[in-house]
């Protein structure tokens, strides 16, 4: 059983953020029929379904249908979004009993090179988070840009402080540094990280949760070990043609899982992952 299973419903995004590598794969939106088949094959292996790898899930024109399918299969759905389309898609999200958590990457505002005021964007995010959290949906406002593009974080924190009526930076933090803004609503700071890159330095020894607590499926059905394989370089099989149980016992998967446990990744790309480096600290 996996704690997180990522199913990329589209690899198309409406932004081009500096911190995101994007993808050179053909632009694609998963059909409801494809989604039903892939989600059904994932269901025996976990409960929490993340509808992203690359791309902006709120761009999907048939998002409501996909959420209905996921709910019928018994999934608890998590979405990560840049937040720009939340006002438009809020009715769809509010009407979905399957939606468990919404994470909004607030760092996408500055990361996309925006020079205008952040308030209109933040207002849309805040209203959506307020309404969804009041319905029991967990909402996380992410600022994952520490040490990187974080020059405008003060503007964002001031906005949140005004909404709360108190200094958000004075709120207590949990063991991960997150701050509770309200019932089911959290601010999640984090450091900027570098995506896996074949041209990055070889770190040699890294641990990873890929194939241990998470797995990902790209929008064409390609199975990869984690949500950071933006180009599907570590393709393990295709869920349209194989059951996941078959893919998971292949020699390549077995070698990767064993390598992660020994902190000796068997794949070169995994030794060049900036995100995995945090597990060595």
């Amino acid at each position: 059983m996996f704690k997180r299973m990522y199913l990329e419903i589209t690899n198309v995004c409406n932004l081009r953020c500096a911190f995101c590598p994007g993808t050179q794969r053909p632009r694609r939106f998963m059909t409801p029929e494809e989604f039903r088949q892939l989600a059904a094959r994932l269901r025996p292996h976990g409960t929490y379904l993340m509808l992203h790898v690359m791309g902006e899930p709120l761009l999907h024109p048939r998002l409501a249908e996909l959420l209905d399918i996921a709910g019928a299969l018994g999934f608890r759905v998590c979405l990560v979004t840049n937040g720009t389309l939340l006002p438009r898609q809020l009715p769809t999200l509010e009407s979905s009993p399957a939606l468990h958590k919404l994470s909004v990457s607030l760092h996408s505002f500055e990361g996309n090179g925006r020079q205008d005021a952040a308030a209109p964007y933040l207002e849309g995010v805040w209203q959506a988070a307020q309404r969804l959290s009041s319905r029991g949906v967990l909402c996380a406002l992410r600022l994952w840009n520490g040490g990187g593009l974080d020059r405008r974080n003060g503007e964002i924190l001031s906005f949140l402080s005004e909404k709360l009526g108190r200094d958000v930076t004075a709120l207590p933090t949990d063991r991960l540094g997150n701050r509770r803004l309200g019932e089911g609503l959290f601010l999640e700071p984090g450091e900027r990280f570098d995506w896996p890159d074949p041209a990055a330095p070889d770190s040699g020894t890294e641990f990873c949760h890929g194939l241990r607590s998470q797995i990902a499926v790209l929008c064409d059905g390609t199975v990869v070990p984690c949500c950071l394989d933006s180009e599907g370089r570590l393709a393990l099989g295709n869920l349209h043609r194989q059951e996941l149980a078959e893919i998971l016992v292949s020699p390549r998967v077995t070698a990767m899982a064993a390598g992660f446990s020994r902190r000796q990744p068997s794949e070169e790309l995994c030794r060049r992952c900036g995100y995995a480096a945090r597990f060595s600290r």
Side-chain angles (χ1 to χ4, degrees), residues 6-263:
Y6 295 82
L7 185 53
E8 181 187 70
I9 60 176
T10 181
N11 59 5
V12 181
C13 189
N14 60 330
L15 297 182
R16 296 186 64 182
C17 297
F19 56 80
C20 177
T23 179
Q24 298 301 311
R25 290 179 284 129
R27 292 164 58 92
R28 201 173 194 282
F29 289 88
M30 190 178 290
T31 69
E33 294 74 21
E34 292 171 331
F35 180 83
R36 188 187 306 276
Q37 179 188 30
L38 298 177
R41 290 191 167 184
L42 288 173
R43 184 62 184 88
H45 301 275
T47 302
Y48 292 91
L49 189 66
M50 284 65 178
L51 301 188
H52 64 278
V53 175
M54 301 302 293
E56 168 53 58
L58 299 191
L59 267 180
H60 202 291
R62 302 177 73 175
L63 178 62
E65 292 179 67
L66 305 190
L67 289 171
D68 286 345
I69 293 169
L73 289 170
F75 277 113
R76 305 183 79 177
V77 173
C78 303
L79 288 172
V80 175
T81 173
N82 58 46
T84 57
L85 303 177
L86 273 174
R88 188 176 82 187
Q89 289 284 26
L90 184 56
T92 294
L93 301 180
E94 285 185 302
S95 64
S96 175
L99 184 61
H100 170 69
K101 184 176 182 179
L102 176 79
S103 298
V104 185
S105 298
L106 296 182
H107 47 279
S108 65
F109 182 83
E110 183 176 48
N112 196 49
R114 297 279 294 273
Q115 300 299 321
D116 53 327
Y121 160 73
L122 294 172
E123 187 65 40
V125 170
W126 180 258
Q127 293 300 324
Q130 288 283 291
R131 286 169 56 173
L132 289 170
S133 61
S134 71
R135 292 172 174 264
V137 177
L138 295 175
C139 294
L141 306 183
R142 292 179 173 179
L143 272 178
W144 287 12
N145 57 2
L149 289 172
D150 54 7
R151 293 182 298 275
R152 299 188 68 177
N153 281 5
E155 187 177 351
I156 294 172
L157 295 174
S158 293
F159 174 92
L160 295 175
S161 296
E162 182 178 344
K163 289 297 183 181
L164 292 175
R166 59 184 300 190
D167 183 1
V168 69
T169 63
L171 295 175
T173 60
D174 63 16
R175 62 183 181 83
L176 298 177
N178 303 324
R179 290 183 165 89
R180 185 175 180 272
L181 306 182
E183 187 65 34
L185 177 58
F186 302 88
L187 176 66
E188 294 185 353
E191 296 180 7
R192 179 190 177 276
F193 64 88
D194 294 319
W195 290 64
D197 185 348
D202 187 333
S203 61
T205 58
E206 300 292 359
F207 171 80
C208 181
H209 291 283
L211 301 176
R212 179 183 297 266
S213 62
Q214 66 163 282
I215 199 162
V217 182
L218 304 182
C219 56
D220 65 352
T222 298
V223 177
V224 292
C226 80
C227 62
L228 295 176
D229 189 357
S230 61
E231 297 295 352
R233 292 184 174 95
L234 302 180
L236 306 175
N238 192 290
L239 204 56
H240 281 306
R241 299 186 292 271
Q242 301 165 275
E243 294 288 347
L244 186 57
E246 176 188 351
I247 295 172
L248 292 176
V249 296
S250 70
R252 187 179 192 186
V253 170
T254 302
M256 290 181 69
F260 290 147
S261 295
R262 298 193 306 267
R263 294 183 179 269

